Amino acid sequence: MKVLVTDPIADAGLERLREAGYEVETAYDVEGDALLNAVSDANGLIVRSGTEVTEEVFEAAEDLVIVGRAGIGVDNIDIDAATDHGVIVANAPEGNVRAAAEHTVAMAFATARSIPQAHSRLKGGEWAKGDYLGTEVNKKTLGVVGLGRVGQEVAKKLDSLGMDLVAYDPYISQDRADQLGAELVDLDECLDRADFLTVHVPLTDETEHLISDEELAQLEGGYLVNCARGGVVDEEALAEAVEDGVMAGAAIDVFAEEPVSQDNPLLDVEDVIVTPHLGASTEAAQENVAVSTADQVVAAFREEPVINALNAPSIDESAFPRVEPYLELADTAGKIAAQLLGDRIAEIEVRYEGEIAEEDVELVTASALKGVFEPLEWQVNAVNAPKIADERGVDVTETKTRQAEDFQSLITVTAKDGDKEISVDGTLFAGDDPRIVRIDGYRVDAIPYGNMLVARNEDAPGVIGHIGSVLGDYDINIAGMFNARETIGGEALSVYNLDGDVPDDVRESLEADERIIEVRQITLDGRDE
């Protein structure tokens, strides 16, 4: 497996990948065709904010498994395109949270006390003590736009210094805000009440220029700090508001274009403090995000949980060993159900019974969907299978019950199209031995691998022998056979494990017998001998 790293990360992350046995190639500052060529044979890609990972990149990287973002923001990665191509996107949100929060607090103090300006003048030989009358943060109101990880950390640090907290974040619960001591308000009220406003939201179509002329006017006499993402704050509007005295000052660490152009209006305003995107620039933060990102790449390669995956079902690391054996079982049950139904699929139900119902099964359900769509899609995995279901208009339901009549744990995948449906039940014997134990209500004990033949037929003497004879005539060996029936003389279902493929003329020959209702071939993965 090969990992391409296109933006510099700490050596600790690179060493973690090499120690795991993977090839690591660094190609910094590549773009355009050079990037497409570099990524063409990569299995993993690690970036920071300097690499644009577009649809074109995913199309060029057919073997790509994961894109790791060594940091929080992923606005430079086309996550929809990644999902379409079955590529995991994961970030490292924890590694630099403390560093970003501390820098935000430092910037708030720096602008409130004019520290850089006073420093510069003193270095120039001026004792300008009387020119700077600072503002204390105690008993002032802090407005937080975006109460995510960094926003929460900033809120906790400044709350401890005596600030009152108001916050705008439509996606956080009232309970969590209460725990932080923050009052949830709408954006207008947050701006009206804030003496200091700190911004902690990603850059999206909805948040671009979220803070512009009208919003800055509401911060009259106050301060703004942005250490999150450039473009969220309208830079020209901010420069004008501070220059005209509408606002007391601002501290900016991120810019709409980086490196920042020398004609950026913020650079000409004395009361706007600027730093060159230093929020995560501590030695500890850089090492933390590099190692965290590398660990997630390793997990993806090993088909283990990717803890910070943004577009893939995730699961707690401690719970993964309990559900891991069921991933392949669910995938197999999905494949069998889809191939037996054989028609358009309108609905998929995944049912869990027994001990497995007590677990987090999101990843197991995604594996079942992967199995259902794999016969229909060229490139499908647990990352994009839920999206494929949505795009195809397939309803997906998941049900659980702790009661299981015959097994400790049972997974049932049902594929439906109108009145027609097929159910496949699977379980594990001896902990990790997958078995298909029911097909469409018929009790079987089938080992799911390789080529399988499923026959519906009348329960009449000689039918099984006839099927065996026809297969023998075509030199197709039977490795195993399982038979079930509704009632004596009613309808029966037989499952055959075969050593070879079943050509169309063989199936036609079998179905020519009036006692045989239907024959379906199921193609699964092989098993280790």
Side-chain angles (χ1 to χ4, degrees), residues 191-213:
L191 293 165
D192 285 338
R193 293 172 58 180
D195 299 301
F196 290 79
L197 187 79
T198 181
V199 178
H200 301 284
V201 296
L203 178 64
T204 66
D205 290 341
E206 289 74 25
T207 63
E208 185 174 11
H209 286 186
L210 179 68
I211 309 298
S212 192
D213 300 88

Side-chain angles (χ1 to χ4, degrees), residues 20 28 39 56 98 112-113 171 242-243 246 270 309 381 387 409 430 452 499:
Y28 303 148
V39 80
E56 198 174 12
R98 184 178 294 107
R113 301 301 298 268
Y171 303 107
V242 178
E243 180 74 20
V246 175
E270 182 180 0
N381 58 23
K387 184 173 183 179
S409 292
M452 300 173 67
D499 289 341

Side-chain angles (χ1 to χ4, degrees), residues 366-383:
S367 295
L369 295 178
K370 170 184 175 290
V372 168
F373 292 119
E374 197 162 30
L376 312 173
E377 294 283 344
W378 173 72
Q379 187 180 46
V380 60
N381 58 23
V383 176

Side-chain angles (χ1 to χ4, degrees), residues 151-395:
Q152 291 182 26
E153 193 69 21
V154 170
K156 287 188 286 187
K157 292 181 184 302
L158 290 176
D159 177 57
S160 69
L161 296 175
M163 297 195 79
D164 297 324
L165 305 179
V166 294
Y168 167 69
D169 191 326
Y171 303 107
I172 196 166
S173 70
Q174 183 64 57
D175 288 344
R176 182 56 180 150
D178 290 343
Q179 291 172 7
L180 295 166
E183 181 183 351
L184 282 182
V185 296
D186 61 26
L187 180 59
D188 282 341
E189 184 173 352
C190 184
L191 293 165
D192 285 338
R193 293 172 58 180
D195 299 301
F196 290 79
L197 187 79
T198 181
V199 178
H200 301 284
V201 296
L203 178 64
T204 66
D205 290 341
E206 289 74 25
T207 63
E208 185 174 11
H209 286 186
L210 179 68
I211 309 298
S212 192
D213 300 88
E214 293 182 8
E215 291 77 20
L216 294 169
Q218 292 177 264
L219 284 171
E220 184 177 0
Y223 300 86
L224 181 142
V225 180
N226 183 16
C227 295
R229 275 289 174 270
V232 174
V233 177
D234 184 336
E235 293 170 356
E236 290 189 9
L238 176 61
E240 184 178 340
V242 178
E243 180 74 20
D244 293 348
V246 175
M247 294 177 57
I252 305 298
D253 184 51
V254 290
F255 301 87
E257 293 184 9
E258 296 182 359
V260 67
S261 170
Q262 286 304 302
D263 61 3
N264 187 301
L266 294 176
L267 303 185
D268 296 328
V269 181
E270 182 180 0
D271 290 326
V272 176
I273 296 168
V274 292
T275 52
H277 206 148
L278 299 180
S281 293
T282 68
E283 185 175 346
Q286 292 301 299
E287 184 166 320
N288 288 342
V289 298
V291 171
S292 173
T293 305
D295 285 344
Q296 294 187 82
V297 171
V298 171
F301 286 172
R302 293 175 177 174
E303 298 185 350
E304 296 174 353
V306 179
I307 303 303
N308 293 314
L310 301 174
N311 64 335
S314 60
I315 187 172
D316 186 83
E317 198 168 11
S318 63
F320 181 68
R322 297 193 296 273
V323 303
E324 182 182 16
Y326 293 95
L327 300 180
E328 184 177 354
L329 177 66
D331 179 291
T332 300
K335 286 178 182 175
I336 295 173
Q339 292 180 63
L340 285 178
L341 187 65
D343 295 325
R344 175 186 174 274
I345 297 173
E347 184 179 350
I348 299 166
E349 179 183 357
V350 186
R351 179 176 175 82
Y352 299 91
E353 299 179 33
E355 293 179 358
I356 185 63
E358 300 177 8
E359 302 291 346
D360 179 355
V361 294
E362 182 183 12
L363 188 57
V364 185
T365 298
S367 295
L369 295 178
K370 170 184 175 290
V372 168
F373 292 119
E374 197 162 30
L376 312 173
E377 294 283 344
W378 173 72
Q379 187 180 46
V380 60
N381 58 23
V383 176
N384 59 13
K387 184 173 183 179
I388 288 172
D390 182 62
E391 290 173 345
R392 286 174 168 264
V394 177
D395 293 329

